[in-house]
Amino acid sequence: MRQDERQWELDAMRGLMLVLMTLTHLPTRLSDPLGQPLGYVSAAEGFVLLSAYMAGRVYSTKADQHGTEAMKNAFFNRALKLYACQLALVLFAFTAIAGIGLLSREDAITGLLGFFLERPVVATVSASMLLYSPALLDILPIYIVFMLVSPLALLHGMAHGWRGVIAISLVLWFGAQFGLGPALYQLATGWFDMPLRYRDMGAFEIFAWQLLWVIGLWLGCTHSQTDHVAAQFPRWMVIGALALALFALVWRHAVGQTPMPAGSAVNLMFDKWHLGPLRLINLLALLVLVMHYSDWLKQHAPRWRPLETLGKAALPVFCAHLVVALLALAMFGASRPGRPWSVDALILFVGFYALWVVARLSLARDRRAALRRDRRAHPPGNVLSPSGAGQ
């Protein structure tokens, strides 16, 4: 998407998701109260949905304008870029962060990198194959998988409609609620010697979270069409979504991030890692409200330029927020009630200032790259000198 075609509200929403994720992952006393601030939905769901929406818009347009091969190549190149980012983050975690954690004997790091510290060679090889995904480093691997399979879903949806794609996605999500991932893991261990435990392969159940990606692709592809008409939700649906979203918002801040006492089966319905059904309903209610009131929000919501800046440089900022969070955990440990406010304030200030610097540097680099591309595409013409005018 060219700079002049960007929608500022999408960049601002991505920036907001990055801010919320950073507040959640930095080990300060704000992590718990600002985690899931809009109900039983986290910033991760919003970020995945927005990323898929942008991918659906950008790559379906590329397929229409430049052909399917160009679209497939773009997806593959993006996956390679994500893979390079993941390798860099893993290398940083396995060297600098592990070293600091061992020297400081910080449980937050030794626990997070426990499998690597037990079996460093196996962990390194497995991480390079996107199999071993310690906490905080387990989102980019599923992004890479989504990028690699997205051309199939997008091309089928563009050619034959999205009902079949969404139906298959719902079946996979349903299976994930009843242990599809662990069952496939057990099947694989019957054929291969798997040194990894299932829990070391990442907290996100990919068969559940793919549903969000497919929904985002579908919406992005649909909204990219020139004849697209904005969705009109019936009044009862909007009122129901508003009531449900408000109830979840009040309940979350009244009782905390866990809706029921420990041990209650209801909590599984809100599970983040499996994208439980009640959590999904909460997310869809918020999605209906955002889509229904989008025009009003664009007209009346203030434009917070820092959020747009962060959103425009989403990938570098996302990676930077993981670096900052890992460093904070290694140096200060997990959040503790007795820690002075001044320490938490320092962590937050340094963390967000680092994200801002990364965003500005990334955008400046992109502008320079765009300028070089324009110069190559439109080289200045040769100016004839007076002596050569008659040649």
Side-chain angles (χ1 to χ4, degrees):
M1 184 177 292
R2 295 194 310 267
Q3 187 68 22
D4 57 347
E5 294 176 337
R6 298 195 76 101
Q7 291 183 274
W8 68 267
E9 65 274 13
L10 297 178
D11 288 328
M13 289 179 67
R14 286 205 295 181
L16 177 61
M17 296 302 108
L18 288 164
V19 168
L20 293 176
M21 279 193 288
T22 304
L23 288 171
T24 301
H25 292 154
L26 288 179
T28 72
R29 65 194 70 203
L30 297 181
S31 175
D32 184 70
L34 293 182
Q36 302 186 156
L38 300 179
Y40 292 101
V41 175
S42 72
E45 288 94 321
F47 192 75
V48 170
L49 195 59
L50 279 168
S51 299
Y53 177 83
M54 297 295 290
R57 288 192 57 167
V58 171
Y59 295 116
S60 61
T61 301
K62 183 175 286 291
D64 288 334
Q65 295 179 352
H66 303 288
T68 59
E69 286 303 316
M71 182 265 281
K72 292 177 183 178
N73 290 335
F75 267 121
F76 182 74
N77 290 335
R78 186 65 172 177
L80 280 180
K81 187 174 183 179
L82 292 172
Y83 181 67
C85 292
Q86 177 68 6
L87 288 184
L89 288 169
V90 167
L91 179 64
F92 176 72
F94 289 178
T95 54
I97 297 302
I100 296 173
L102 288 174
L103 289 175
S104 62
R105 298 181 180 179
E106 183 51 62
D107 293 340
I109 292 300
T110 55
L112 186 147
L113 298 176
F115 182 74
F116 167 73
L117 297 175
E118 293 173 12
R119 305 185 66 179
V121 176
V122 173
T124 302
V125 174
S126 300
S128 67
M129 298 171 64
L130 304 180
L131 294 176
Y132 172 46
S133 300
L136 295 180
L137 301 178
D138 52 357
I139 186 64
L140 283 184
I142 67 171
Y143 263 69
I144 295 168
V145 175
F146 292 160
M147 281 288 171
L148 292 176
V149 301
S150 286
L152 296 175
L154 200 56
L155 289 175
H156 188 279
M158 294 172 67
H160 306 290
W162 285 88
R163 289 186 179 181
V165 176
I166 294 175
I168 294 173
S169 181
L170 282 169
V171 169
L172 292 175
W173 171 84
F174 187 79
Q177 307 309 305
F178 295 94
L180 176 60
L184 292 177
Y185 171 82
Q186 292 296 331
L187 181 63
T189 56
W191 291 88
F192 306 100
D193 182 17
M194 292 285 287
L196 280 173
R197 297 162 296 191
Y198 186 72
R199 66 173 181 267
D200 293 319
M201 300 179 73
F204 292 89
E205 286 287 341
I206 192 170
F207 292 110
W209 279 72
Q210 54 77 31
L211 178 60
L212 288 188
W213 189 266
V214 169
I215 291 174
L217 276 182
W218 163 54
L219 291 175
C221 178
T222 303
H223 291 180
S224 70
Q225 305 303 312
T226 54
D227 58 350
H228 164 68
V229 179
Q232 297 294 325
F233 297 102
R235 182 177 177 83
W236 64 265
M237 185 179 292
V238 176
I239 294 175
L242 183 60
L244 188 109
L246 287 175
F247 179 80
L249 175 67
V250 172
W251 188 267
R252 178 263 176 268
H253 288 284
V255 305
Q257 295 199 50
T258 304
M260 293 293 174
S264 173
V266 176
N267 291 332
L268 296 176
M269 306 287 281
F270 289 93
D271 184 69
K272 174 179 178 177
W273 313 117
H274 291 80
L275 198 64
L278 294 181
R279 190 179 194 89
L280 181 61
I281 291 173
N282 193 173
L283 175 64
L284 293 178
L286 293 174
L287 180 61
V288 167
L289 294 177
V290 169
M291 293 178 66
H292 180 74
Y293 292 107
S294 60
D295 291 337
W296 185 91
L297 289 171
K298 282 189 285 187
Q299 293 177 7
H300 297 89
R303 290 190 65 172
W304 293 351
R305 304 289 181 171
L307 290 182
E308 294 179 44
T309 299
L310 295 177
K312 289 176 183 177
L315 179 57
V317 172
F318 177 83
C319 295
H321 111 273
L322 292 177
V323 171
V324 169
L326 289 170
L327 282 172
L329 282 171
M331 297 174 66
F332 298 98
S335 178
R336 301 182 179 91
R339 179 187 291 165
W341 261 106
S342 57
V343 175
D344 284 357
L346 176 65
I347 294 173
L348 292 169
F349 174 78
V350 172
F352 280 104
Y353 185 74
L355 299 192
W356 175 253
V357 170
V358 167
R360 293 297 298 268
L361 291 175
S362 176
L363 294 178
R365 181 200 61 193
D366 291 344
R367 285 192 294 268
R368 290 194 297 269
L371 184 60
R372 288 194 296 269
R373 287 195 299 269
D374 288 342
R375 286 175 176 172
R376 286 196 297 267
H378 306 286
N382 295 325
V383 179
L384 294 176
S385 65
S387 61
Q391 295 178 2

